[in-house]
Amino acid sequence: MSSDLFDQDVSTDVRALLQHDEVGSAPAAPNSFARHSSGSGAPALVCALVGICLVRLVTTGHYKRYVRVGMGPILMISGFVLILAGAVTWWSSRRGPSDSHEHEHGRYHGHEHDDDGHGRIAVGWLLLVPVLTVFAIAPPGLGSFALSRALSSTSVQQGSGSFADLTGADPVGMLLKEFDERAFDRAGVSFAGVPVSVVGFVAKAPHGDGFIVARFQIACCAADGRANLAHVIGYTGTVPPVDSWVQITGSFHAGAGPQQAPLLVAATVTPIAQPSDPYEPN
Amino acid sequence: MAASAFELLAVGVGGHPALANWATVFVAVCIQAMPFLVLGVLVSGSIAAFLPPDAVANMLPKRPVFAVPVAAIAGVALPGCECGSVPIAGRLISRGAPSAAALTFLLAAPAVNPVVLVATAVAFPGHPEMVLARFVAGLVASIAVGWIWIRIGHEDWLLKARRPAHQHDNRLDAFTHTVQHDFLQAGGYLVIGAAMSATLQTIVPQRILGSVASLGWISLLALGLLAVVLAVCSEADAFIAAGLSQFSLTSRLVFMTVGPMVDVKLIALQAGTFGRSFTLRFAPVTFVVCVLAATAVGLVLL
């Protein structure tokens, strides 16, 4: 890993980006962001934009694609704190620019530049990258690609629980996690032949017939996703495209497909919209 | 025109599962860290604005050898994860705290705080000894690194963090400017770290790790390196470790000890706060100490 990556390259790129800001500024300081933190509202704006992005993610519910549902309130609070911090510093930079305050700022940042601090605050501009990614691309959440990268194909371990037998004739809705756990509990005896209904996204089976239906569970954020999955067999209709969401009714079938995924014999496969929380609770 | 460029970009990313996956993990790591980063910079802003300059130094034992373990215990009180502790440690150093103590606090806080320990207990329901092992390994590693710093550390490597704090006429100004300054600095480097983590997660299939699970000390190193690459929050790493059931408990303890102290996201954050020459030395030393400490604790407790 190049050590230069951290300071030098970033500041060079950012400086190039900010070239137009340099016009009419004092030529000495290469660190425009730092200098601007006294005279202009640029850093305050970045702060506030990150805050607005967080609040927007919570109000649209899209934050659930990236982090666990319980983080909504603290994301909201963090967003407002950042908006407030941006507003206060912006206001104080507008107020009384002619007093000795300004002079102190100049001295401080000159000093900062003296110690190897190139691009130290300029790096703050990078915060706009995730903000733009959220607004422009709106990444969809973990899907079949992540499944192919995951360490283990299922998060379920032997002995993760013991279940009472299912009863009745109507399909019982359950999380894929429970489906997997029941499959591992006494080799699936607790299904007792009762049909089930599960929700997940479609993925290709590594080999063999059928397809995979999977849904991730996350502990904190999408970087720590672990998949729960079932191998769907016996479906004669058209298989929906990879990464589309489906609700499947069917019944458990003893035995295991490739990679130990439990088998689900599908009766119906219904395309649905991606759930607002695409993950199963941990 | 900008709008259509964005649409093209969005379609392009949607059509490439690898890019979409990269973007999801990248945004997830950034978003997930924000509340902890905000908490961290609020604390660092308070230190800069409201603590008298010598307060921290006066609270700690005069001799660094004793100040280090006190700082490690103090880490128990910060209920956050590693992103928040970096700006706090940086601000402690700029306020004149002994560097060894501040660095020990930096390592200990995300590893041994109550939130992380409770998460570990929840993730390992059948192994309560894992919580104790994690606590002990985290304390031992952070204290050992602090003492090593006393022996071989150079204050020159910390010039970036030693820079005197900005003098403001009133405390509210000092507070808000420090909050904003530290947020932009740490946040920018966090973005770099998140991009590295997302790239590694997208490129490297983790399945290759499974082949070394039974290979003794190689599996210890493999999980240590996995912790560096994944860069997940210390509050979540126990759940990942629990899922790595093909590895020994000691290997998984290594994973949970290295994770809060050395990972690509932290390396970026530390380089931004303390400087490159510091991080190039600090991160490898910390990695080795973490692996050794966790292995030793694992042999005794697990």
Side-chain angles (χ1 to χ4, degrees):
Chain A
M1 188 182 311
S2 157
S3 60
D4 280 349
L5 188 75
F6 294 128
D7 291 24
Q8 222 56 56
D9 289 358
V10 169
S11 61
T12 314
D13 289 354
V14 171
R15 252 179 276 146
L17 271 174
L18 294 177
Q19 208 91 69
H20 64 280
D21 271 1
E22 303 278 8
V23 178
S25 306
N31 187 345
S32 65
F33 203 88
R35 197 178 61 249
H36 279 234
S37 69
S38 57
S40 97
L45 185 68
V46 173
C47 233
L49 278 175
V50 175
I52 289 167
C53 176
L54 291 181
V55 171
R56 179 92 188 122
L57 277 171
V58 178
T59 53
T60 57
H62 286 176
Y63 76 99
K64 295 172 193 163
R65 297 172 181 177
Y66 314 116
V67 296
R68 70 189 151 83
V69 177
M71 283 185 72
I74 59 168
L75 283 174
M76 192 74 141
I77 294 169
S78 311
F80 280 119
V81 168
L82 290 174
I83 294 171
L84 190 67
V88 169
T89 46
W90 181 81
W91 182 70
S92 80
S93 74
R94 297 281 122 180
R95 172 196 57 167
S98 60
D99 60 12
S100 62
H101 210 76
E102 191 65 14
H103 177 63
E104 262 180 59
H105 271 287
R107 232 180 26 201
Y108 170 56
H109 291 300
H111 180 76
E112 184 164 284
H113 170 54
D114 287 343
D115 331 358
D116 105 308
H118 295 278
R120 192 157 159 266
I121 312 300
V123 76
W125 285 104
L126 287 178
L127 280 164
L128 293 182
V129 177
V131 172
L132 284 175
T133 309
V134 164
F135 284 125
I137 298 171
L142 297 176
S144 61
F145 182 85
L147 204 59
S148 71
R149 300 277 115 171
L151 181 57
S152 49
S153 45
T154 172
S155 64
V156 174
Q157 300 158 42
Q158 303 267 359
S160 46
S162 188
F163 293 85
D165 287 1
L166 297 177
T167 54
D170 294 331
V172 178
M174 63 175 62
L175 297 172
L176 275 166
K177 181 186 184 187
E178 184 183 338
F179 184 83
D180 286 357
E181 286 171 350
R182 281 181 181 273
F184 279 105
D185 174 30
R186 296 169 288 143
V189 172
S190 71
F191 285 105
V194 175
V196 298
S197 164
V198 297
V199 167
F201 61 82
V202 174
K204 270 205 187 91
H207 37 77
D209 297 333
F211 62 96
I212 298 287
V213 60
R215 196 166 174 183
F216 280 90
Q217 66 180 86
I218 61 176
C220 215
C221 77
D224 64 55
R226 289 177 293 146
N228 299 313
L229 48 85
H231 192 139
V232 183
I233 54 171
Y235 182 65
T236 51
T238 316
V239 176
V242 163
D243 278 329
S244 65
W245 284 78
V246 290
Q247 176 164 36
I248 300 179
T249 58
S251 44
F252 170 75
H253 187 273
Q259 298 176 0
Q260 306 304 308
L263 298 175
L264 173 64
V265 181
T268 67
V269 176
T270 316
I272 58 169
Q274 175 173 328
S276 79
D277 177 7
Y279 306 109
E280 297 190 340
N282 202 58
Chain B
M1 201 182 111
S4 65
F6 277 142
E7 273 164 34
L8 264 181
L9 194 62
V11 170
V13 170
H16 291 90
L19 278 182
N21 187 70
W22 185 91
T24 296
V25 175
F26 170 66
V27 169
V29 173
C30 293
I31 299 295
Q32 178 311 111
M34 281 304 155
F36 301 103
L37 195 56
V38 168
L39 177 69
V41 300
L42 289 177
V43 173
S44 74
S46 308
I47 292 172
F50 305 117
L51 268 191
D54 296 328
V56 181
N58 289 339
M59 272 186 269
L60 288 166
K62 286 286 164 281
R63 295 186 54 191
V65 178
F66 299 120
V68 162
V70 171
I73 298 292
V76 175
L78 182 76
C81 66
E82 57 266 34
C83 313
S85 60
V86 174
I88 296 175
R91 205 45 74 179
L92 286 174
I93 288 177
S94 83
R95 296 299 273 186
S99 51
L103 295 174
T104 295
F105 177 83
L106 166 81
L107 297 179
V112 299
N113 73 63
V115 179
V116 167
L117 295 177
V118 167
T120 310
V122 172
F124 287 92
H127 299 281
E129 73 275 16
M130 204 67 179
V131 180
L132 179 65
R134 177 172 204 177
F135 181 75
V136 174
L139 278 187
V140 167
S142 59
I143 292 172
V145 172
W147 282 342
I148 290 173
W149 176 265
I150 293 174
R151 290 259 334 146
I152 66 170
H154 278 282
E155 290 297 316
D156 293 358
W157 298 335
L158 284 172
L159 278 184
K160 194 167 182 176
R162 278 285 180 218
R163 173 180 300 124
H166 186 174
Q167 295 305 311
H168 276 277
D169 300 340
N170 72 63
R171 289 183 170 188
L172 187 64
D173 259 13
F175 176 72
T176 52
H177 276 95
T178 308
V179 165
Q180 180 179 280
H181 174 279
D182 288 2
F183 176 74
L184 292 172
Q185 180 184 311
Y189 284 96
L190 169 75
V191 170
I192 298 176
M196 288 199 279
S197 171
T199 305
L200 290 166
Q201 284 210 35
T202 303
I203 292 174
V204 184
Q206 296 170 36
R207 220 160 262 162
I208 59 172
L209 271 178
S211 53
V212 302
S214 57
L215 294 180
W217 63 271
I218 295 182
S219 73
L220 298 176
L221 275 183
L223 282 202
L225 288 173
L226 179 69
V228 175
V229 168
L230 282 188
V232 295
C233 176
S234 64
E235 294 176 2
D237 59 4
F239 295 97
I240 304 219
L244 299 168
S245 50
Q246 64 271 53
F247 286 87
S248 68
L249 282 178
T250 301
S251 309
R252 290 188 268 170
L253 180 63
V254 169
F255 177 82
M256 293 192 297
T257 308
V258 171
M261 303 197 192
V262 193
D263 66 40
V264 289
K265 175 186 67 183
L266 271 175
I267 290 171
L269 272 171
Q270 290 171 359
T273 307
F274 304 110
R276 269 171 291 160
S277 48
F278 166 80
T279 307
L280 283 176
R281 296 167 172 92
F282 188 71
V285 169
T286 309
F287 180 83
V288 172
V289 170
C290 284
V291 173
L292 293 178
T295 307
V297 171
L299 286 177
V300 176
L301 286 177
L302 297 178

